[in-house]
């Protein structure tokens, strides 16, 4: 997979994407990442990428000219057209399902906003606009990094063990089950006996039940769209009913 980003501070990507899992995946050729400086598509001596908004107001807006030129120029550099992603609070909420869908593209191009945002006409270039959540960031670079991380770890070979991504939170619509490591007894807090039993079938059943219980307790909103067997659906509904009764 090829991932590219347009930014006014392209240097912020390097340290994160060269480290740990991302760095190993890059070195293994599982994905490539190129960050472009938006100012390379400006034509004045100050390399200006922003201007005051029409109608007045606080802050500055990113100008459309360099963004259009950058996206069009970068897109034309390869026969494979990039899937162009912008970031905005009005966009599609980013979820594991969105990450999975993006991981199917051969080439992604992120356009990172700054300042008070960008000229509305720029969004005509987007194949998709994504929101990381109901909050405001200083720029789109952090959003692009988060999406890159979530997407890359789904690529074959990125985690070493491809089952790792399948077991994580949201992979099946549920939170991940509780996990423990040594020591088995820490300050009187003991690891569930079933995890020490060596019975893989029992461990699997316990993990599924743990995932159901955690989701019902912490993120019940996820259960509506989760893929559950009838018995599992009845189990979580009983948990939710008991919680409701306990709160009355």
């Amino acid at each position: 997979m090829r991932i590219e980003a347009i930014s006014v501070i392209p240097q912020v990507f390097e340290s994160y994407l060269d480290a740990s899992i991302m760095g190993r995946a890059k070195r293994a050729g599982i994905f490539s990442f190129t960050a472009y400086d938006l100012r390379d598509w400006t034509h004045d001596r100050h390399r200006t990428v922003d201007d005051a908004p029409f109608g007045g107001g606080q802050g500055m807006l990113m100008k459309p000219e360099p963004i259009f030129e950058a996206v069009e120029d970068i897109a034309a550099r390869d026969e494979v057209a990039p899937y162009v992603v912008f970031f905005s609070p009005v966009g599609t909420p980013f979820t594991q399902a969105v990450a999975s869908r993006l991981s199917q593209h051969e080439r992604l191009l992120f356009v990172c906003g700054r300042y008070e945002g960008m000229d509305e006409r720029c969004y005509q270039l987007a194949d998709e606009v994504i929101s990381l959540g109901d909050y405001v960031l200083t720029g789109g670079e952090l959003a692009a990094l988060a999406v890159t991380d979530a997407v890359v770890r789904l690529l074959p070979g990125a985690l070493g063990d491809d089952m790792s991504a399948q077991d994580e939170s949201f992979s099946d619509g549920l939170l991940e089950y509780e996990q423990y490591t040594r020591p088995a007894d820490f300050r009187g807090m003991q690891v569930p006996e079933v995890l020490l039993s060596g019975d893989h079938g029992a461990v699997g059943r316990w993990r599924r039940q743990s995932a159901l219980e955690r989701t019902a307790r912490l993120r019940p909103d996820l259960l509506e769209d989760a893929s559950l067997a009838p018995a599992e659906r009845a189990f979580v509904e009983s948990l939710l009913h008991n919680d409701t009764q306990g709160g009355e």
Side-chain angles (χ1 to χ4, degrees), residues 84-86 122-129:
V84 181
V85 176
F86 281 59
C122 296
Y123 293 103
Q124 296 180 26
L125 296 165
D127 292 305
E128 185 166 0
V129 181

PDB file of all heavy atoms in Angstrom, residues 84-86 122-129:
ATOM      1  N   VAL A  84      -8.618   9.903  -2.033  1.00  0.00           N
ATOM      2  CA  VAL A  84      -8.273  11.162  -1.370  1.00  0.00           C
ATOM      3  C   VAL A  84      -9.145  11.351  -0.124  1.00  0.00           C
ATOM      4  O   VAL A  84     -10.378  11.344  -0.212  1.00  0.00           O
ATOM      5  CB  VAL A  84      -8.429  12.349  -2.327  1.00  0.00           C
ATOM      6  CG1 VAL A  84      -8.053  13.653  -1.624  1.00  0.00           C
ATOM      7  CG2 VAL A  84      -7.566  12.145  -3.576  1.00  0.00           C
ATOM      8  N   VAL A  85      -8.483  11.535   1.015  1.00  0.00           N
ATOM      9  CA  VAL A  85      -9.175  11.671   2.295  1.00  0.00           C
ATOM     10  C   VAL A  85      -8.854  13.028   2.917  1.00  0.00           C
ATOM     11  O   VAL A  85      -7.683  13.386   3.070  1.00  0.00           O
ATOM     12  CB  VAL A  85      -8.771  10.553   3.271  1.00  0.00           C
ATOM     13  CG1 VAL A  85      -9.430  10.754   4.636  1.00  0.00           C
ATOM     14  CG2 VAL A  85      -9.144   9.184   2.703  1.00  0.00           C
ATOM     15  N   PHE A  86      -9.902  13.771   3.269  1.00  0.00           N
ATOM     16  CA  PHE A  86      -9.771  14.999   4.038  1.00  0.00           C
ATOM     17  C   PHE A  86     -10.270  14.725   5.457  1.00  0.00           C
ATOM     18  O   PHE A  86     -10.973  13.740   5.698  1.00  0.00           O
ATOM     19  CB  PHE A  86     -10.628  16.112   3.421  1.00  0.00           C
ATOM     20  CG  PHE A  86     -10.028  16.783   2.216  1.00  0.00           C
ATOM     21  CD1 PHE A  86      -9.706  16.056   1.074  1.00  0.00           C
ATOM     22  CD2 PHE A  86      -9.815  18.145   2.207  1.00  0.00           C
ATOM     23  CE1 PHE A  86      -9.172  16.680  -0.038  1.00  0.00           C
ATOM     24  CE2 PHE A  86      -9.291  18.789   1.098  1.00  0.00           C
ATOM     25  CZ  PHE A  86      -8.965  18.052  -0.039  1.00  0.00           C
ATOM     26  N   CYS A 122     -12.352  23.231  -1.485  1.00  0.00           N
ATOM     27  CA  CYS A 122     -11.325  22.183  -1.493  1.00  0.00           C
ATOM     28  C   CYS A 122     -11.919  20.790  -1.328  1.00  0.00           C
ATOM     29  O   CYS A 122     -11.384  19.804  -1.842  1.00  0.00           O
ATOM     30  CB  CYS A 122     -10.305  22.429  -0.382  1.00  0.00           C
ATOM     31  SG  CYS A 122      -9.359  23.951  -0.564  1.00  0.00           S
ATOM     32  N   TYR A 123     -13.030  20.703  -0.608  1.00  0.00           N
ATOM     33  CA  TYR A 123     -13.615  19.392  -0.317  1.00  0.00           C
ATOM     34  C   TYR A 123     -14.164  18.703  -1.561  1.00  0.00           C
ATOM     35  O   TYR A 123     -14.481  17.511  -1.515  1.00  0.00           O
ATOM     36  CB  TYR A 123     -14.700  19.528   0.748  1.00  0.00           C
ATOM     37  CG  TYR A 123     -14.141  19.918   2.094  1.00  0.00           C
ATOM     38  CD1 TYR A 123     -14.257  21.224   2.561  1.00  0.00           C
ATOM     39  CD2 TYR A 123     -13.471  18.983   2.893  1.00  0.00           C
ATOM     40  CE1 TYR A 123     -13.729  21.599   3.790  1.00  0.00           C
ATOM     41  CE2 TYR A 123     -12.938  19.345   4.120  1.00  0.00           C
ATOM     42  CZ  TYR A 123     -13.069  20.654   4.559  1.00  0.00           C
ATOM     43  OH  TYR A 123     -12.541  21.022   5.774  1.00  0.00           O
ATOM     44  N   GLN A 124     -14.263  19.437  -2.672  1.00  0.00           N
ATOM     45  CA  GLN A 124     -14.658  18.806  -3.930  1.00  0.00           C
ATOM     46  C   GLN A 124     -13.632  17.762  -4.370  1.00  0.00           C
ATOM     47  O   GLN A 124     -13.947  16.868  -5.154  1.00  0.00           O
ATOM     48  CB  GLN A 124     -14.822  19.862  -5.019  1.00  0.00           C
ATOM     49  CG  GLN A 124     -15.945  20.858  -4.763  1.00  0.00           C
ATOM     50  CD  GLN A 124     -16.058  21.890  -5.870  1.00  0.00           C
ATOM     51  OE1 GLN A 124     -15.682  21.647  -7.012  1.00  0.00           O
ATOM     52  NE2 GLN A 124     -16.592  23.062  -5.532  1.00  0.00           N
ATOM     53  N   LEU A 125     -12.418  17.893  -3.878  1.00  0.00           N
ATOM     54  CA  LEU A 125     -11.352  16.966  -4.249  1.00  0.00           C
ATOM     55  C   LEU A 125     -11.434  15.645  -3.482  1.00  0.00           C
ATOM     56  O   LEU A 125     -10.802  14.662  -3.859  1.00  0.00           O
ATOM     57  CB  LEU A 125      -9.987  17.597  -3.958  1.00  0.00           C
ATOM     58  CG  LEU A 125      -9.617  18.839  -4.756  1.00  0.00           C
ATOM     59  CD1 LEU A 125      -8.427  19.540  -4.101  1.00  0.00           C
ATOM     60  CD2 LEU A 125      -9.290  18.459  -6.197  1.00  0.00           C
ATOM     61  N   ALA A 126     -12.192  15.615  -2.402  1.00  0.00           N
ATOM     62  CA  ALA A 126     -12.183  14.470  -1.494  1.00  0.00           C
ATOM     63  C   ALA A 126     -13.047  13.325  -1.996  1.00  0.00           C
ATOM     64  O   ALA A 126     -14.177  13.529  -2.439  1.00  0.00           O
ATOM     65  CB  ALA A 126     -12.655  14.902  -0.114  1.00  0.00           C
ATOM     66  N   ASP A 127     -12.513  12.117  -1.904  1.00  0.00           N
ATOM     67  CA  ASP A 127     -13.330  10.923  -2.081  1.00  0.00           C
ATOM     68  C   ASP A 127     -14.085  10.617  -0.794  1.00  0.00           C
ATOM     69  O   ASP A 127     -15.146  10.001  -0.828  1.00  0.00           O
ATOM     70  CB  ASP A 127     -12.445   9.729  -2.456  1.00  0.00           C
ATOM     71  CG  ASP A 127     -11.840   9.890  -3.838  1.00  0.00           C
ATOM     72  OD1 ASP A 127     -12.606  10.088  -4.795  1.00  0.00           O
ATOM     73  OD2 ASP A 127     -10.602   9.818  -3.948  1.00  0.00           O
ATOM     74  N   GLU A 128     -13.497  11.045   0.327  1.00  0.00           N
ATOM     75  CA  GLU A 128     -14.140  10.840   1.627  1.00  0.00           C
ATOM     76  C   GLU A 128     -13.603  11.859   2.619  1.00  0.00           C
ATOM     77  O   GLU A 128     -12.420  12.202   2.583  1.00  0.00           O
ATOM     78  CB  GLU A 128     -13.891   9.425   2.138  1.00  0.00           C
ATOM     79  CG  GLU A 128     -14.626   9.091   3.428  1.00  0.00           C
ATOM     80  CD  GLU A 128     -14.645   7.601   3.730  1.00  0.00           C
ATOM     81  OE1 GLU A 128     -14.083   6.826   2.942  1.00  0.00           O
ATOM     82  OE2 GLU A 128     -15.229   7.219   4.765  1.00  0.00           O
ATOM     83  N   VAL A 129     -14.492  12.325   3.486  1.00  0.00           N
ATOM     84  CA  VAL A 129     -14.110  13.217   4.581  1.00  0.00           C
ATOM     85  C   VAL A 129     -14.337  12.448   5.878  1.00  0.00           C
ATOM     86  O   VAL A 129     -15.405  11.883   6.092  1.00  0.00           O
ATOM     87  CB  VAL A 129     -14.932  14.518   4.574  1.00  0.00           C
ATOM     88  CG1 VAL A 129     -14.489  15.436   5.712  1.00  0.00           C
ATOM     89  CG2 VAL A 129     -14.787  15.229   3.229  1.00  0.00           C
TER      90      VAL A 129
END
